[in-house]
């Protein structure tokens, strides 16, 4: 037992970080970058037989990350880089369509599935103290949605690719929730059973493909950025990003640090409801995307995010039995946060 504990302690000290990945060398517990890279191979998609020792090491590493900066890079998840590239390729074709064509797929505030569809630039303002964010998005939250998909002949595969990727992200997200529960000493399905309805109109989980257009011909307003400072609303988020850079995460010191793309990994972070659920053991961290440097204002940026939410009818209470946070409706919390982001938009009637 002592030997096993010593091996685990030794393993904890050797933390691969995003900074070490970008420099090509290992950095141990670097104060410059505290987002570790964790090997998820033991529980990757398609892998169901997990040795207890490998699982215990992985859950401990993930807990350390989620209770530190709230972010972790997972490698060997079973989602391959070519899958991500395909989503970004078809998404970019959509975003480069004429605006009048994209408007046909715009979100409809009068429809039950309000969150599905295209969001034009500057409609969202994730930091209410800044002007609208310089990004576009296309959202899918319901696999059986009557969402109007683009009919443009140049991207006939758009719906198929995004639907398929939604299902892949859902499968991985449920595994992340299982590992998270085990890391806290809870039953494996503690969180999963609160997320049974992902992909239906009874859950707000959303696949969102994002496009940050070039800005060299855009008049940027004072204090305007590509994505304002915010924390995510739900349980966890899976993020896939291109190599353009720009994402920053708030460090415990209060300073923002870079969270660069590491090809082949998924960047996973804790969201607000999970922080409440765990009485602040796991932390939901503010993050943002600033403007690119002057010499890169003519370049675009892409990312794909899978925002995981509990089922709408779930009441989120502290899982340790404490009263650190009062119980809150998963749906109401999401609606309240989304209202702030869209309150100045014309279609601010949120109907989740």
């Amino acid at each position: 037992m002592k030997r096993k504990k010593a091996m685990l302690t030794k393993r904890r000290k050797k933390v691969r970080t995003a900074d070490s990945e970008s420099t090509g060398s290992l950095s141990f517990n670097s104060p410059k970058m505290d987002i570790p890279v964790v090997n998820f191979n033991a529980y990757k998609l398609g892998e169901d037989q997990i040795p207890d020792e490998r699982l215990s090491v992985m859950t401990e590493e993930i807990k350390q990350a989620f209770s530190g900066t709230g972010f972790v890079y997972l490698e060997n998840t079973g989602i391959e880089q070519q899958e991500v590239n395909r989503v970004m390729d078809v998404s970019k074709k959509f975003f480069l369509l004429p605006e009048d064509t994209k408007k046909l797929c715009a979100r409809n505030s009068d429809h039950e599935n309000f969150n599905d569809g295209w969001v034009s630039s500057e409609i969202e303002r994730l930091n209410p103290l800044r002007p609208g964010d310089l990004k576009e998005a296309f959202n899918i939250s319901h696999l059986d949605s009557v969402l109007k998909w683009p009919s443009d002949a140049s991207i006939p595969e758009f719906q198929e690719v995004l639907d398929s990727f939604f299902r892949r992200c859902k499968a991985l997200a449920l595994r992340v929730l299982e590992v998270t529960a085990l890391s806290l000493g809870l039953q494996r399905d503690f969180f999963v059973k609160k997320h049974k309805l992902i992909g239906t109109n009874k859950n707000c989980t959303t696949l969102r493909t994002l496009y940050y257009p070039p800005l060299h011909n855009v008049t940027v307003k004072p204090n305007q950025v590509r994505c304002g400072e915010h924390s995510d609303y739900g349980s966890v988020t899976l993020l896939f990003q291109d190599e353009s850079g720009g994402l920053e995460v708030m460090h415990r010191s209060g300073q923002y640090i870079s969270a660069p793309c590491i090809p082949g990994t998924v960047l996973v972070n804790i969201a607000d409801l999970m922080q409440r659920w765990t009485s602040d053991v796991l932390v939901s961290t503010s993050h943002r995307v600033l403007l690119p440097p002057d010499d890169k204002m003519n370049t675009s940026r892409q990312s794909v995010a899978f925002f995981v939410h509990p089922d709408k009818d779930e009441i989120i209470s502290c899982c340790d039995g404490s009263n650190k946070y009062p119980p809150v409706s998963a749906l109401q919390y999401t609606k309240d946060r989304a209202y702030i982001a869209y309150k100045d938009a014309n279609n601010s009637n949120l109907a989740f």
Side-chain angles (χ1 to χ4, degrees):
M1 179 64 71
K2 291 182 178 179
R3 183 180 179 185
K4 183 176 179 181
K5 183 176 181 181
M7 289 177 65
L8 181 57
T9 304
K10 184 178 180 181
R11 177 76 173 268
R12 288 177 187 168
K13 293 180 179 178
K14 297 183 178 180
V15 180
R16 293 174 56 210
T17 67
D19 185 55
S20 67
E21 292 291 334
S22 64
T23 60
S25 60
L26 280 179
S27 174
F28 300 134
N29 295 331
S30 166
K32 181 180 179 182
M33 168 57 73
D34 291 334
I35 304 178
V37 181
V38 172
N39 189 345
F40 204 71
N41 187 64
Y43 205 24
K44 69 180 181 180
L45 297 181
E47 183 66 57
D48 296 316
Q49 301 300 322
I50 315 165
D52 289 342
E53 184 176 350
R54 290 175 66 190
L55 183 60
S56 65
V57 170
M58 183 176 67
T59 55
E60 178 64 22
E61 290 176 339
I62 288 177
K63 182 181 179 181
Q64 286 187 61
F66 283 163
S67 59
T69 57
F71 279 73
V72 65
Y73 290 92
L74 298 183
E75 62 182 356
N76 299 316
T77 62
I79 293 181
E80 303 297 336
Q81 186 61 43
Q82 54 263 36
E83 296 179 68
V84 179
N85 294 344
R86 190 179 183 208
V87 174
M88 289 192 180
D89 288 345
V90 297
S91 296
K92 191 167 187 178
K93 290 179 181 178
F94 169 78
F95 289 120
L96 294 180
L97 291 173
E99 186 160 324
D100 287 345
T101 303
K102 291 184 287 188
K103 281 182 179 178
L104 298 175
C105 307
R107 289 193 304 186
N108 184 352
S109 61
D110 296 324
H111 193 273
E112 178 186 8
N113 297 345
F114 169 83
N115 200 39
D116 288 15
W118 176 62
V119 183
S120 61
S121 185
E122 301 187 72
I123 289 293
E124 291 181 348
R125 190 171 62 171
L126 292 182
N127 181 343
L129 301 180
R130 292 185 182 273
D133 295 345
L134 292 166
K135 68 177 189 295
E136 298 179 35
F138 190 91
N139 300 340
I140 306 172
S141 60
H142 309 116
L143 293 175
D144 56 354
S145 171
V146 294
L147 166 68
K148 186 172 181 181
W149 293 86
S151 58
D152 192 272
S154 65
I155 46 173
E157 71 277 26
F158 190 58
Q159 179 177 358
E160 176 189 349
V161 170
L162 267 62
D163 270 1
S164 174
F165 199 66
F166 186 108
R167 297 175 196 277
R168 294 281 283 166
C169 288
K170 174 185 174 181
L172 178 59
L174 294 178
R175 290 188 174 224
V176 170
L177 290 173
E178 288 185 349
V179 171
T180 301
L182 290 172
S183 77
L184 297 167
L186 303 170
Q187 292 294 317
R188 183 190 294 257
D189 66 347
F190 181 88
F191 296 121
V192 168
K193 64 186 179 183
K194 310 292 187 182
H195 296 75
K196 290 182 178 179
L197 302 174
I198 291 176
T200 75
N201 62 4
K202 299 184 182 298
N203 184 290
C204 294
T205 295
T206 301
L207 176 68
R208 166 167 257 215
T209 179
L210 294 134
Y211 179 68
Y212 303 79
L215 300 173
H216 57 297
N217 291 323
V218 175
T219 300
V220 178
K221 301 178 180 69
N223 296 318
Q224 194 169 29
V225 293
R226 280 180 155 173
C227 183
E229 296 83 356
H230 69 285
S231 57
D232 295 339
Y233 311 159
S235 305
V236 297
T237 301
L238 313 183
L239 180 70
F240 309 83
Q241 52 181 334
D242 69 11
E243 298 186 38
S244 300
L247 177 65
E248 294 185 343
V249 173
M250 181 176 282
H251 188 269
R252 280 185 176 273
S253 66
Q255 296 181 324
Y256 277 90
I257 57 176
S258 175
C261 168
I262 302 178
T265 67
V266 184
L267 184 58
V268 184
N269 66 277
I270 294 297
D272 293 350
L273 287 177
M274 184 62 77
Q275 176 167 330
R276 296 175 67 104
W277 231 334
T278 63
S279 303
D280 296 340
V281 173
L282 309 183
V283 295
S284 178
T285 307
S286 178
H287 47 284
R288 65 188 183 185
V289 180
L290 297 183
L291 300 179
D294 290 343
D295 61 345
K296 293 186 177 180
M297 291 289 276
N298 63 340
T299 61
S300 62
R301 179 183 188 272
Q302 282 185 264
S303 64
V304 181
F306 191 68
F307 297 99
V308 182
H309 289 258
D311 297 334
K312 290 180 179 180
D313 62 357
E314 291 294 337
I315 302 299
I316 308 304
S317 302
C318 297
C319 63
D320 62 359
S322 72
N323 295 314
K324 189 162 190 177
Y325 292 102
V328 64
S329 158
L331 174 60
Q332 191 59 51
Y333 185 85
T334 300
K335 290 177 70 173
D336 291 346
R337 288 292 308 275
Y339 176 78
I340 296 172
Y342 290 96
K343 65 179 180 180
D344 292 330
N346 293 330
N347 53 352
S348 59
N349 178 28
L350 298 177
F352 284 100

